[in-house]
């Protein structure tokens, strides 16, 4: 489906497999509730007395949430107590990919006017947006540097290939420079031994 299409996939295409999967998923109300009440919390294991980091679990939960958003009412996320604060903590403190997933979910919730217009949320966003823009600029610079190095390495490899290629009949070229290049190639080639040119019968 079109990632910018906000309608349920089944409404766009009745044969869409994602639409059928979403319908099956949302039939399990308990699973949807546990996604928000348990797996989207950074203290999932500590609440059970287990000394274990929940970053991997939270990352999987956020990725799942992003996948089911086409079939989820935005108001459902806004109604989850503490979800907004948790997302802001991940955006500010977590590492990728959890941080990136949290940014994506937070951006979706911002479409809900009552959430985005809250005074506390607006203050948080005023501090967060400049940070994200700065990091986006850094990512662009890194991408440009990577692209430059790839192009540079590619051009060097291409130059070496051109230098290593010698025209086999350049000796008969009209240009003196080409004849000299051919002569240089012959000088660099291994000498032919007498055994190599003797008839096999001798």
């Amino acid at each position: 489906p079109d990632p910018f299409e906000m309608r349920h996939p089944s409404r766009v295409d009745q044969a869409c497999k994602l639409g059928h999967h979403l319908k099956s998923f949302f039939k399990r109300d308990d699973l949807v509730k546990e996604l928000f009440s348990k797996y989207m919390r950074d203290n999932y294991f500590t609440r059970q007395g287990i000394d274990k980091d929940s970053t991997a679990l939270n990352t999987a939960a956020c990725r799942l949430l992003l996948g089911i958003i086409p079939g989820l009412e935005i108001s459902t996320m806004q109604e989850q107590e503490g979800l907004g604060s948790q997302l802001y903590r991940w955006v500010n403190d977590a590492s990728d990919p959890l941080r990136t997933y949290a940014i994506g979910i937070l951006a979706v919730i911002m479409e809900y006017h009552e959430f985005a217009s809250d005074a506390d949320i607006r203050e948080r966003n005023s501090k967060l947006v400049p940070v994200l823009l700065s990091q986006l600029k850094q990512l662009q610079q890194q991408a440009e540097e990577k692209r430059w190095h790839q192009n540079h390495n590619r051009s060097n490899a291409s130059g070496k290939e051109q230098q290593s290629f010698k025209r086999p009949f350049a000796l008969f070229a009209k240009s003196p420079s080409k004849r000299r290049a051919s002569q240089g190639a012959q000088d660099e080639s291994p000498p032919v031994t007498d055994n190599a040119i003797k008839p096999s019968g001798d």
Side-chain angles (χ1 to χ4, degrees):
D2 186 349
F4 298 102
E5 176 62 70
M6 300 306 296
R7 292 178 295 171
H8 194 287
S10 295
R11 297 180 180 178
V12 180
D13 181 6
Q14 294 183 355
C16 178
K17 291 184 178 180
L18 176 59
H20 294 299
H21 291 324
L22 289 175
K23 288 182 178 179
S24 300
F25 181 86
F26 285 108
K27 288 180 180 179
R28 303 183 60 180
D29 294 334
D30 293 341
L31 180 57
V32 177
K33 293 178 181 178
E34 289 182 355
L35 175 63
F36 291 105
S37 63
K38 294 182 178 180
Y39 307 129
M40 292 288 293
R41 305 297 179 181
D42 56 6
N43 60 350
Y44 175 80
F45 291 110
T46 56
R47 286 188 301 174
Q48 302 179 46
I50 303 175
D51 185 15
K52 182 179 179 180
D53 183 70
S54 60
T55 300
L57 177 65
N58 298 147
T59 302
C62 286
R63 185 172 181 176
L64 174 61
L65 179 55
L66 285 170
I68 65 173
I69 278 178
L72 183 68
E73 292 290 339
I74 299 177
S75 59
T76 303
M77 291 189 288
Q78 192 271 339
E79 294 170 356
Q80 304 301 320
E81 184 179 357
L83 178 60
S85 299
Q86 179 65 80
L87 291 172
Y88 276 108
R89 285 197 296 272
W90 283 334
V91 170
N92 291 317
D93 303 326
S95 57
D96 286 325
L98 177 57
R99 183 174 180 273
T100 301
Y101 291 155
I103 293 173
I105 297 171
L106 199 57
V108 173
I109 302 179
M110 289 301 163
E111 297 181 11
Y112 195 70
H113 178 71
E114 293 185 10
F115 181 84
S117 60
D118 183 80
D120 181 57
I121 296 300
R122 293 175 63 181
E123 182 179 356
R124 288 185 176 186
N125 288 343
S126 65
K127 298 177 181 179
L128 181 62
V129 169
V131 175
L132 295 181
L133 289 176
S134 177
Q135 293 177 348
L136 179 60
K137 185 176 180 180
Q138 293 178 2
L139 291 174
Q140 289 177 331
Q141 292 175 348
Q142 293 175 4
E144 291 176 359
E145 292 177 1
K146 182 177 180 181
R147 193 180 306 112
W148 184 88
H149 285 296
Q150 290 177 342
N151 293 335
H152 182 68
N153 294 336
R154 190 179 299 112
S155 60
N156 286 343
S158 176
K160 291 180 180 178
E161 290 177 359
Q162 292 178 359
Q163 291 178 3
S164 62
F165 175 74
K166 303 296 183 181
R167 297 175 63 238
F169 300 104
L171 177 65
F172 305 102
K174 295 181 180 180
S175 171
S177 61
K178 293 182 179 180
R179 288 200 299 270
R180 286 196 297 269
S182 174
Q183 184 63 36
Q186 292 180 355
D187 294 340
E188 294 176 359
S189 61
V192 179
T193 62
D194 294 339
N195 294 333
I197 60 176
K198 287 183 178 180
S200 59
D202 293 345

